[in-house]
Amino acid sequence: MRILITGGAGFIGTNVTLSAIKRGHTVLNVDCLSYAGSLTNLVSIEKHPKYSFEQTDIRDQDKIHNIFENFQPEYIFHLAAESHVDRSIDSAFTVLSTNIMGTCVLLDEFTKYWVKKDCPDNIVFHHISTDEVFGSVKNNIKFNEDTKYDPLNPYSVSKASSDHLVRSWINTHHIPAIITNCSNNYGPYQFPEKLIPLTITNALLGRKIPIYGDGKQIRDWIYVDDHVDALFSVMENGKVGETYMIGSDNECYNIDIVKNICRILDEKVPSDKSYDYLIEYVSDRPGHDRRYAIDASKIINELLWNPQVDIIEGLEKTVDWYLENKEWTSNILKEHKSNVRLGRGYRNN
Ligand SMILES: NC(=O)c1ccc[n+]([C@@H]2O[C@H](COP(=O)([O-])OP(=O)(O)OC[C@H]3O[C@@H](n4cnc5c(N)ncnc54)[C@H](O)[C@@H]3O)[C@@H](O)[C@H]2O)c1
């Protein structure tokens, strides 16, 4: 298939792009290369005959129009977004503009392309979203496809808005689209300001490891390869107009994630003291959601997708990747010297 991937130079986008090429697809990666996107992630495929890259902002309607006209995609994975809650709290404008208006531009241009007679059959616009649109778990009921939206920070509001836009296009223009909402991802190529790579990076550099509040926020972690597999399952067997929750039933307290990483590092890179002496509790993120949890029964039962990696194995694999790719992290840190956050509690230091 000819697949248009937006945000293919970011964390999940890189893993989707590498996997798409490995699966034999032809890929056009459209990414503006914000602080979170890097072409170094894709050097292994940059000369591959089935891979091409366009540095484009998804809000640039003319360019997006030409991309649809020239590339003639058969499937779209829409991942491009501003993805960091803390950044959205500090400054919401770019997050809202990219996540909402960028999605609007893509839907608009997709629709113009799709109504044409020569548009490929079975084309699908696949919008990749998050479980954060539901806010915190209520009454101990995990998120499912019928859970009411309740986004409570600027990032989750922007993603909820983009989901609503996609549904409104399905309802009013009848476009062939699918939405997936996934839980927290971790694994190779994640920008070192999200919890897991931040912990690994800070520990290896001997820096403090910040933990928000009491560290008892619960997230439902999924190894990025499992998410990528789920996305391809949806591409191959998903039903147009449907929504699928993606999660791998690995709920953990943030503090336990950090302690486990310290334990793994103690084994792999022993130092005088255990790395957990670096843990420092800092003031909580404003409006911090307490618990996210996904009920993935629909995709498991209907599409026969099954996650393969549990949290302990996934953390081991992730730590191994960051240890084997220290140069990747140091290049990112160098490239974004003043733009990598060590955590909200440290912003004034
Ligand atoms: N990371 C997670 O845990 C998670 C979980 C569920 C869903 N998601 C969703 O998956 C998608 C990818 O997340 P990620 O963690 O890989 O994010 P990321 O921040 O690592 O990557 C985002 C990519 O989008 C690009 N981008 C940003 N603004 C753009 C613009 N205006 N035009 C073109 N490209 C732009 C960036 O350059 C970057 O390459 C997002 O839509 C996010 O909401 C993420």
Side-chain angles (χ1 to χ4, degrees), residues 107-227:
L107 286 167
D108 212 16
E109 290 307 323
F110 173 79
T111 308
K112 287 182 201 158
Y113 167 67
W114 169 69
V115 294
K116 288 192 175 163
K117 283 200 196 66
D118 55 355
C119 171
D121 289 341
N122 304 324
I123 183 164
V124 174
F125 183 98
H126 182 160
H127 177 62
I128 284 113
S129 192
T130 165
D131 59 356
E132 305 196 25
V133 298
F134 304 115
S136 254
V137 166
K138 287 155 202 84
N139 305 321
N140 209 21
I141 301 171
K142 292 182 177 191
F143 305 140
N144 61 45
E145 288 73 12
D146 297 321
T147 302
K148 205 171 142 225
Y149 277 54
D150 187 20
L152 291 169
N153 61 59
Y155 166 69
S156 55
V157 164
S158 73
K159 291 299 292 188
S161 306
S162 64
D163 292 10
H164 291 321
L165 282 176
V166 176
R167 277 199 192 94
S168 77
W169 250 259
I170 295 173
N171 185 52
T172 57
H173 298 287
H174 309 292
I175 62 162
I178 296 178
I179 299 174
T180 50
N181 296 85
C182 187
S183 58
N184 276 51
N185 284 229
Y186 66 102
Y189 301 105
Q190 190 166 27
F191 194 76
E193 64 180 9
K194 301 276 174 77
L195 181 68
I196 289 175
L198 172 81
T199 300
I200 300 169
T201 305
N202 280 15
L204 291 174
L205 293 171
R207 290 178 181 165
K208 294 286 184 196
I209 302 168
I211 281 282
Y212 283 140
D214 61 1
K216 292 283 179 69
Q217 304 84 5
I218 298 173
R219 297 294 178 262
D220 190 353
W221 294 93
I222 183 168
Y223 190 65
V224 66
D225 284 357
D226 277 332
H227 185 194

Side-chain angles (χ1 to χ4, degrees), residues 7 9-13 30-34 36-37 56-59 79-83 98 128-130 155 159 182-185 190 194:
F11 160 48
I12 301 172
V30 172
D31 196 301
C32 73
L33 301 180
S34 76
T56 297
D57 192 308
I58 54 165
R59 292 165 293 181
L79 293 122
E82 288 286 336
S83 70
T98 282
I128 284 113
S129 192
T130 165
Y155 166 69
K159 291 299 292 188
C182 187
S183 58
N184 276 51
N185 284 229
Q190 190 166 27
K194 301 276 174 77

Side-chain angles (χ1 to χ4, degrees), residues 39-309:
L39 290 182
T40 56
N41 299 354
L42 297 159
V43 280
S44 64
I45 54 161
E46 69 185 355
K47 296 201 166 76
H48 195 286
K50 291 189 167 181
Y51 172 74
S52 50
F53 172 71
E54 253 331 308
Q55 184 167 1
T56 297
D57 192 308
I58 54 165
R59 292 165 293 181
D60 186 331
Q61 185 133 15
D62 290 342
K63 283 195 177 164
I64 294 297
H65 178 85
N66 291 337
I67 282 168
F68 275 105
E69 287 295 305
N70 298 333
F71 182 63
Q72 305 263 312
E74 294 166 292
Y75 199 86
I76 292 97
F77 280 127
H78 172 35
L79 293 122
E82 288 286 336
S83 70
H84 198 11
V85 175
D86 286 344
R87 286 177 184 260
S88 80
I89 292 171
D90 285 350
S91 171
F93 184 81
T94 313
V95 177
L96 297 175
S97 159
T98 282
N99 298 1
I100 302 174
M101 291 319 294
T103 301
C104 181
V105 165
L106 284 166
L107 286 167
D108 212 16
E109 290 307 323
F110 173 79
T111 308
K112 287 182 201 158
Y113 167 67
W114 169 69
V115 294
K116 288 192 175 163
K117 283 200 196 66
D118 55 355
C119 171
D121 289 341
N122 304 324
I123 183 164
V124 174
F125 183 98
H126 182 160
H127 177 62
I128 284 113
S129 192
T130 165
D131 59 356
E132 305 196 25
V133 298
F134 304 115
S136 254
V137 166
K138 287 155 202 84
N139 305 321
N140 209 21
I141 301 171
K142 292 182 177 191
F143 305 140
N144 61 45
E145 288 73 12
D146 297 321
T147 302
K148 205 171 142 225
Y149 277 54
D150 187 20
L152 291 169
N153 61 59
Y155 166 69
S156 55
V157 164
S158 73
K159 291 299 292 188
S161 306
S162 64
D163 292 10
H164 291 321
L165 282 176
V166 176
R167 277 199 192 94
S168 77
W169 250 259
I170 295 173
N171 185 52
T172 57
H173 298 287
H174 309 292
I175 62 162
I178 296 178
I179 299 174
T180 50
N181 296 85
C182 187
S183 58
N184 276 51
N185 284 229
Y186 66 102
Y189 301 105
Q190 190 166 27
F191 194 76
E193 64 180 9
K194 301 276 174 77
L195 181 68
I196 289 175
L198 172 81
T199 300
I200 300 169
T201 305
N202 280 15
L204 291 174
L205 293 171
R207 290 178 181 165
K208 294 286 184 196
I209 302 168
I211 281 282
Y212 283 140
D214 61 1
K216 292 283 179 69
Q217 304 84 5
I218 298 173
R219 297 294 178 262
D220 190 353
W221 294 93
I222 183 168
Y223 190 65
V224 66
D225 284 357
D226 277 332
H227 185 194
V228 171
D229 258 12
L231 296 178
F232 281 98
S233 275
V234 170
M235 180 177 112
E236 282 152 22
N237 300 310
K239 268 174 64 186
V240 155
E242 295 285 316
T243 295
Y244 298 91
M245 298 291 127
I246 302 172
S248 63
D249 210 10
N250 279 301
E251 284 185 65
C252 286
Y253 289 125
N254 284 349
I255 184 64
D256 289 342
I257 290 288
V258 169
K259 286 190 170 162
N260 266 300
I261 293 171
C262 290
R263 179 188 54 73
I264 294 168
L265 283 171
D266 286 340
E267 284 162 21
K268 294 187 187 280
V269 198
S271 155
D272 308 349
K273 296 191 232 175
S274 168
Y275 289 93
D276 61 15
Y277 88 95
L278 294 167
I279 296 173
E280 184 168 89
Y281 289 89
V282 297
S283 54
D284 207 352
R285 168 190 283 166
H288 208 167
D289 288 331
R290 204 63 186 163
R291 177 181 168 208
Y292 300 143
I294 289 260
D295 171 358
S297 324
K298 179 175 170 181
I299 186 169
I300 290 171
N301 295 331
E302 291 184 13
L303 306 189
L304 308 179
W305 167 80
N306 257 303
Q308 302 296 317
V309 182

